[in-house]
Amino acid sequence: MISRRRGAAAVSSNQAGRAFIGSFTSAGGQGVTVAAVDRETGKLTVIGSTEAVPDPSFLVLGPGADALYAVSEVADGAAAAFDVTGDLPQPLGGTRAVGGSSPTHLALADGYLITANYGSGSVTALPVRADGSLGAATSVLRHEGSGPHTARQHAPHAHQVLPDPSGSWVLSVDLGTDSVRICALDASTGTLRLHGETALRPGTGPRHLAFHPSGTHAYVLNELEPTVTVCRWDAVAGVLEPVGETLVVPEEVAADLTAAVYPSEVVVSRDGRFLWAASRGHDSIAVIALDGTGEKASLVTTVSCGGHWPRDLTLDPTGRWLYAANERSGNVSWFAVDPTTGIPRHEGSLDVPAVSCVIFG
């Protein structure tokens, strides 16, 4: 079902300043919501939404921003394509099975959509057709292993997948095995092949990573311990090397064994001077300063996320505005980023029930 917010202004197909917001329909969300973005104030204004796909928890835009892709985070995992050249997303070619359960993340690489399937601990490649629709899965690469946290790490749980800045590799972050896998994608066949695996400290539960704009470092945010692991990245060899860890909450919070803190998303500033990390439970955004090399990270402060349970954190294309998708309070908050200190200042909020992610066109 596709709906338009009453009184919302139409958005032309070539207009910049749109946001696409994912949410959990099983928890009262509206599926994929489209919002207009005021680049001067950061304000979001809802245009409409579609519930054509259940639980579209994560989204990615295709080249040219003409097509939008979503995972369907359900037991029989699927991915879907939408035509977004008009005001509201229109289903494009139907959904495709990913051959895995509960996909949580997706990315585009070499003409394929790659999904991270949390429930089954696997990564899937699906071809993107000329019209933007998806073909049947060409490859499902299953992870192996486990971790010491018996409740959360009894099996592999691929949580994120993304290409490296060079475009040579696809990395998958696995919470269940405390590792990041580096894969090669054969663009001629759509086959994913394991190239190498980087082990992180046992029990940290890596969730997501982000690259430094130089492409020489990556930052792995851990969910089961409130830390970010700094890694060197060798794009030629396809090797990720951990070199240190930094807390994303104050020391007293990290030391409190009764505190339920689950970091969710990590973002690096366009100039490589700052890193921000969202933490659920603590309901905060950490401001972390990076040195000139990108290898040394230090916690500056934390600020409120503007809601409860920040599942996602996103910079807008200008780098001026930071957005937190607060799942349990059902709102997206936006913050003006101080270019000198990196500290976000809360400026506004939009109600979006069961929100899971925000991306920008």
Side-chain angles (χ1 to χ4, degrees):
M1 181 175 66
I2 295 175
S3 63
R4 179 187 293 278
R5 177 66 61 88
R6 183 175 298 172
V11 176
S12 64
S13 61
N14 62 355
Q15 177 178 338
R18 283 197 297 177
F20 298 92
I21 304 169
S23 62
F24 289 99
T25 56
S26 60
Q30 297 172 337
V32 178
T33 297
V34 184
V37 184
D38 186 326
R39 297 295 192 203
E40 293 304 312
T41 66
K43 182 179 180 180
L44 301 178
T45 303
V46 171
I47 297 167
S49 62
T50 175
E51 296 180 25
V53 174
D55 290 349
S57 64
F58 212 88
L59 313 172
V60 67
L61 272 171
D66 290 338
L68 177 76
Y69 301 93
V71 293
S72 181
E73 192 175 334
V74 295
D76 295 326
F82 295 90
D83 182 331
V84 290
T85 56
D87 293 345
L88 297 176
Q90 301 291 334
L92 185 61
T95 60
R96 289 286 185 177
V98 299
S101 64
S102 303
T104 54
H105 198 266
L106 74 174
L108 291 162
D110 272 345
Y112 290 84
L113 185 73
I114 317 296
T115 68
N117 312 315
Y118 181 86
S120 53
S122 59
V123 175
T124 301
L126 304 101
V128 177
R129 294 168 167 168
D131 65 355
S133 65
L134 297 172
T138 55
S139 179
V140 178
L141 183 62
R142 303 191 183 281
H143 293 185
E144 296 180 356
S146 60
H149 194 300
T150 55
R152 297 290 308 277
Q153 296 183 310
H154 61 284
H157 292 301
H159 212 301
Q160 184 202 31
V161 61
L162 76 168
D164 83 303
S166 75
S168 301
W169 310 99
V170 175
L171 282 71
S172 57
V173 183
D174 196 298
L175 184 149
T177 62
D178 292 317
S179 65
V180 178
R181 287 169 172 79
I182 298 94
C183 302
L185 172 65
D186 186 333
S188 64
T189 64
T191 301
L192 288 162
R193 175 183 57 81
L194 180 63
H195 168 75
E197 183 174 1
T198 296
L200 302 180
R201 185 164 58 82
T204 52
R207 178 183 172 96
H208 278 200
L209 73 76
F211 282 97
H212 190 275
S214 67
T216 60
H217 290 81
Y219 309 93
V220 183
L221 186 64
N222 301 305
E223 179 172 337
L224 302 184
E225 291 193 11
T227 58
V228 62
T229 303
V230 180
C231 301
R232 295 183 187 130
W233 171 244
D234 184 337
V236 175
V239 174
L240 188 71
E241 177 191 2
V243 293
E245 288 184 18
T246 300
L247 287 172
V248 297
V249 294
E251 289 185 8
E252 61 271 21
V253 176
D256 183 355
L257 298 180
T258 67
V261 182
Y262 304 101
S264 59
E265 185 61 289
V266 58
V267 177
V268 181
S269 65
R270 303 286 190 261
D271 60 9
R273 296 175 56 229
F274 301 105
L275 177 152
W276 300 280
S279 289
R280 296 162 297 176
H282 192 240
D283 291 341
S284 65
I285 300 171
V287 182
I288 293 175
L290 301 174
D291 73 349
T293 68
E295 190 157 311
K296 293 183 179 180
S298 56
L299 178 64
V300 176
T301 190
T302 61
V303 300
S304 169
C305 67
H308 179 37
W309 214 252
R311 187 179 181 89
D312 188 37
L313 197 62
T314 314
L315 271 178
D316 85 318
T318 70
R320 294 173 52 197
W321 302 97
L322 189 66
Y323 293 77
N326 299 311
E327 180 184 355
R328 294 186 180 176
S329 56
N331 68 297
V332 177
S333 295
W334 55 89
F335 302 78
V337 175
D338 187 308
T340 302
T341 66
I343 298 174
R345 183 183 70 250
H346 185 262
E347 292 289 341
S349 182
L350 173 71
D351 288 342
V352 184
V355 63
S356 54
C357 80
V358 183
I359 65 170
F360 291 90

